[in-house]
Amino acid sequence: MIGNIWFDSHGHFQRRRSLFEIGKEEFNYQTIRDSAFTVHLKKLAAYCDTNTNVGIGSCYGGATYTLPAVENFPEQRMNGDSLMIGTSRLFNNATVYACESFVMTGIGIMNASYAMAGMPGRKKFKDPVYKPVWEKLGEWNCYSGKKGAFEKPVTVSLQHNGSISCKQRNYLSYPKTVRNWRKNSKIQKGKL
């Protein structure tokens, strides 16, 4: 049976929904329940059970917040929790991890560090529309298909052998990280 599956993908914040992609296929809270979209994933599911860990490795893949209305777009919930539940069910009640915020990649990504919980430096991410993303920096949601429930948010890392693990401390529990977070996000008095 498969112990760990990691779907490494980009998140697309402008689509205003949690998702991950494989090739040209987009999996979101709606398509993950559609058998026409998941036919190839079901082949993997035959080798998964409640002991399997699935990582949705895209930014905002587990986002549960509602994005505010912007220009012609009404407010919209990201529905990352629904994506996680659907993914768990597809993979025979596997445990699913997905991030509320940015998923970073960098040196040390597979040495159980905080490499995937970092913060982007590009100017476009300073736009106020990203405020809910910055507020959830380093938070990963965990849905246990076996228990049928969400567990306490964690910060996820990858071991050297590719297995998914959870850090003992949340990314923003370190004073130095909080200082960097405030500097990079420029959050002061609730404003980005």
Side-chain angles (χ1 to χ4, degrees), residues 97 108-117 138-140 142 152-159 163-174:
Y97 298 92
I109 192 168
M110 296 184 75
N111 67 359
S113 71
Y114 288 90
M116 292 190 299
E139 282 188 26
W140 289 71
C142 173
K152 183 180 175 183
V154 296
T155 297
V156 166
S157 67
L158 292 176
Q159 303 285 348
S163 62
I164 300 168
S165 65
C166 299
K167 303 298 288 178
Q168 292 295 317
R169 292 178 63 179
N170 188 287
Y171 183 61
L172 287 180
S173 68
Y174 295 94

